[in-house]
Amino acid sequence: MLWVNRIVGVALIVFCAALWQISDDYPEMARLFPRVMFVIIVFFSVLMVGRTFLPAAAAGGSGEGGANPAVMVRPILAFVATSLALAASSYIGFFLAMAVLAAVLVPILGIRSLRWYAFATVVLLVAVYAIFVVVLNVPLTLRPPVL
Amino acid sequence: MDTLLAVVADAFTPFHLSMMLAGVVIGLIIGAMPGLSSNLGIALMLPMTFGMDPISALILLTSLYTSAIYGGSFSAILLHTPGTSASAATAIDGFALTRKGEFNKAIRISTFASVVGGLSSAIALLAIAPPLSLLSLKFGPAEYFWLAVFGISVIGTLASGNMIKGLVSGAVGVAISTVGLDLDSGYPRFTFGFYDLQGGIGFVPAVIGLFSLSQALLMCEKPHNTIQEVDPTSGGKWRLLPTWAELKFTQATIWRSSIIGIIIGILPGAGGDIGSWTAYNEAKRFSKNDPDFGKGSIRGIAASESANNATTGGAIIPLLTLGIPGSPSAAILLGALVLHGMQPGRTLFTEHAHFTYTVCVGFLIANLVMGFVGMAMCRYMGVVARLPNTILIIAVTVLSIVGSYSLGNNIYDVYTMMAFGIIGYLMRKTGFSAAPMVLGMILGPLAEQGFRQAVQLADGPVLLHMVANPISWVLVSLIVLSVGSAAWLELSRSKLTDVMAEK
């Protein structure tokens, strides 16, 4: 966690410095409060980075999930697949895109019980259609807009 | 008297009762599923309430909140896997009882304690909130600024294991709230030429991303979680209420823990998990003559469950009166309140008294409904808790997308949700809590408004003007006290780690 805290701390300091520069053109009252916040963020970031050099002080606040960075491969692949499905939904329709997403997640998540998964996905999409499209009138596209 | 009757009559209308029932059932299911929390449930349900009137929406969400906290006890008792962090202490004695073949007894006590805790907190809400709201009348711009800082500092120091990370998260949340058109000058701030950003960063999509999508991504790490199997059909005799002996044995623990839960709930940021552990430790102290404590004692279950449900009403007290939520879930409820056109403070108890009291009475009834529904569903909750993660991942992902899109039928909200989803996931991986960021986003505008008004009104040094009022002094002292005590605790912990390492 030491190197993570250092990277995050330095990144926040750089980010705040860049935003401070951007806010130069703003009217005085419009930039005052954000700048106060940037100073506070930089102050805490310096403390966070500084703490990593103290023995045992960096022990608190460990992250959730697996500690090995390799465990992040699946979540990142799932996130990319979801983003692509979202982009595709404009062309192939929302429900078809979600069905494709469910299919793409099968190899990513290593799903074994395909029949149960397919059944649950269909039930989920039908429920989403019933609640959001029929009851709440959300304009989710059922089929590709070109059809 | 007429107002009271009107409030009770409104709370008992078939539609409001059906909202309570829906909230309770959804909350129970979400709470029982390990990994899914009340935060996630409220965040996902929030978009569905947009078409409703404010009373129905808040009744649904508060019912979901209290029953999700209670629902966590099912998987804690049945599977030794707490459905929510608030039920972690329940797992100790609850699962031990299940192993002894007494799961019905454990569920019965958990249900009774949760109902008593929830009811006590609802009564406390009705009794404490109206007079406390008078305090908000004494608040000027500077006091509101310090109040917002106090809320963020407390949730920042309590919500995560690392105080500095919590405070960073809160400060970043406040900074995010400054994105969009400046309300005074109309100047676009940090929009980078994107028209959609001029309206600011949507609170609801951000919350859905931070709590829901990030959870789905976290579950992707272990999509085939194995949970211990226990046969719930061999759990002893089913009874709706505890026996007289069980009541006698646990009554003192339940009352004590309910009071602890209400007090901890009122503290900004200290949610059900802190409440349940504090009450559990207190019950342990008072149960020196109970050899079963920690090995299957109903007192352990009663302490944890009454306290965690008592925090729910407690957390709503500062939310309604001062706009400072007592827990991360209450922070989302505050967002819901504002989205439905209600502003916390005295007006909720004067102009909008019917709304406020109906929601509070609805919350009280929901706690009773929760007990009956919970006992009726208990045999099936083991099945719910064992739903595969793979199904939950796709369900949470699809609902996060649809929920954020349905806010304004705008794809920008979905992109916001996705961005905050990955940010939330990375935050959780690196030990940053999302709760302070959410609170920062909510309280940011309040803090900025108070700050700017104080700056404009200041006749001399701004800081002196901001601490001129005794209320400001009290709030500043509380901020110093909360941050100072958290820093001292962390330093003591570090020294302890040093000593342990040397040994």
Side-chain angles (χ1 to χ4, degrees), chain A residues 1 4-5 8 12 19 22-23 25-27 29-34 36-38 40-41 44-45 47-48 51 55-57 59-67 71-72 74-76 78-79 82-83 86-87 94 98 101-102 105 109-112 116-117 120-121 124-125 128 131-132 136-140, chain B residues 47-48 145 161-165 167-168 171-172 174-175 178 182 185 187-192 213 215 217-218 220-221 223-224 387-388 390-391 393-395 397-399 401-403 405-406 409 411 414-415 418-419 421-422 425-426 428-432 444 447-448 451-452 455-456 490 493-494 497-498:
Chain A
M1 199 54 72
V4 172
N5 290 358
V8 173
L12 282 171
L19 291 176
I22 289 169
S23 66
D25 301 335
Y26 299 173
M29 283 308 276
R31 72 182 177 208
L32 184 62
F33 187 73
V36 170
M37 292 320 299
F38 298 151
I40 292 170
I41 294 169
F44 286 130
S45 300
L47 279 183
M48 190 167 70
R51 276 193 67 178
S62 55
E64 292 177 59
V71 296
M72 292 172 71
R74 266 185 179 149
I76 288 170
F79 181 78
T82 309
S83 306
L86 205 57
F94 174 79
M98 290 303 112
L101 172 66
L105 286 179
L109 301 177
I111 289 159
R112 296 159 197 159
W116 172 222
Y117 177 74
T121 306
L124 171 73
L125 292 179
V128 166
I131 296 169
F132 286 92
L136 298 175
N137 290 320
V138 178
L140 294 169
Chain B
M48 295 186 205
F145 170 76
N162 184 314
M163 184 192 76
I164 295 176
K165 285 185 176 180
L167 293 174
V168 167
V172 170
V174 178
T178 64
D182 175 41
S185 62
Y187 199 90
R189 297 188 294 186
F190 312 112
T191 56
F192 307 104
L213 189 67
Q215 183 61 43
L217 293 173
L218 203 64
C220 285
E221 289 185 1
H224 304 292
L387 264 179
T390 47
I391 305 291
I393 290 166
I394 184 84
T397 306
V398 171
L399 288 176
I401 293 172
V402 180
Y405 180 74
S406 66
N409 303 333
I411 197 75
V414 185
Y415 292 139
M418 292 290 288
I422 196 78
Y425 172 68
L426 294 174
R428 295 171 82 154
K429 292 297 293 174
T430 50
F432 285 86
E448 182 170 12
F451 180 77
R452 284 169 77 151
V455 168
Q456 283 160 347
E490 277 201 28
R493 214 182 298 150
S494 301
T497 316
D498 277 347

Side-chain angles (χ1 to χ4, degrees), chain B residues 150-238:
Chain B
F150 172 60
I152 296 162
S153 67
V154 175
I155 206 166
T157 51
L158 288 176
S160 57
N162 184 314
M163 184 192 76
I164 295 176
K165 285 185 176 180
L167 293 174
V168 167
S169 176
V172 170
V174 178
I176 289 172
S177 76
T178 64
V179 173
L181 289 181
D182 175 41
L183 286 180
D184 284 353
S185 62
Y187 199 90
R189 297 188 294 186
F190 312 112
T191 56
F192 307 104
F194 290 103
Y195 176 75
D196 286 317
L197 280 177
Q198 290 195 356
I201 288 176
F203 165 73
V204 181
V207 166
I208 295 175
L210 285 171
F211 286 122
S212 305
L213 189 67
S214 71
Q215 183 61 43
L217 293 173
L218 203 64
M219 286 196 291
C220 285
E221 289 185 1
K222 281 186 182 170
H224 304 292
N225 253 356
T226 46
I227 292 170
Q228 294 190 56
E229 297 260 347
V230 172
D231 181 12
T233 52
S234 60
K237 197 182 165 201
W238 185 94

Side-chain angles (χ1 to χ4, degrees), chain B residues 15-37:
Chain B
F15 187 67
H16 289 158
L17 285 175
S18 64
M19 285 299 105
M20 266 173 232
L21 191 64
V24 164
V25 172
I26 296 167
L28 278 177
I29 291 171
I30 285 175
M33 291 178 188
L36 306 193
S37 62

